[in-house]
Each structure stands twice: as structure tokens, then as C-alpha cells.
Amino acid sequence: IPEGGEEETVSVAALDKNFGFSKHFGSKYDVGDEVGRGHFGYTCAARLKKGDLKGQQVAVKVIPKAK
């Protein structure tokens, strides 16, 4: 909480309302084996194919629309 009349700048990111797989999902990620499963979906290991982070390992959460 700012004191003495100071103002604090807060950065707010826009909410991403896009659901489903991107049309370019397969060209950006190389999806590997399933690493976990839960009530709503499952998680797979993946590697980035493009960009500055090419080759970096990430996790991809898949939640079927029916859930």
C-alpha cells in the first residue's frame, strides 16, 4: 500500500479468452509423452519448435471441452 500520496503503477495483462487449440499449435510445439492426469484433463511434456526459446521443454495442459 503506497504511503504519503505515492501512486503505485500496476500492470494488468488482458484476459485471453481464446479456447481450444491454436491453428498453429502443431507448428509451435512438439508434444511428447503424458506426464500427468487429473479430473479435468491431462498434461504432456512438449518442446518449443520456434523462436528465442526453441528447444526449451514446457508442459502443455489439455482440458477437453466436455469438461
Side-chain angles (χ1 to χ4, degrees):
I1 300 174
E3 296 181 17
E6 300 170 9
E7 288 190 27
E8 183 177 341
T9 304
V10 177
S11 176
V12 179
L15 180 62
D16 183 4
K17 294 183 180 181
N18 294 322
F19 293 95
F21 287 108
S22 164
K23 294 177 185 178
H24 307 291
F25 183 84
S27 67
K28 292 181 181 180
Y29 299 96
D30 183 23
V31 179
D33 294 333
E34 182 178 310
V35 295
R37 184 171 285 271
H39 182 71
F40 290 104
Y42 56 95
T43 304
C44 292
R47 287 201 183 271
L48 291 162
K49 290 184 177 181
K50 299 180 177 181
D52 295 339
L53 301 175
K54 180 179 179 182
Q56 183 167 346
Q57 190 168 3
V58 296
V60 176
K61 179 84 175 200
V62 179
I63 302 173
K65 278 190 167 186
K67 298 290 181 172

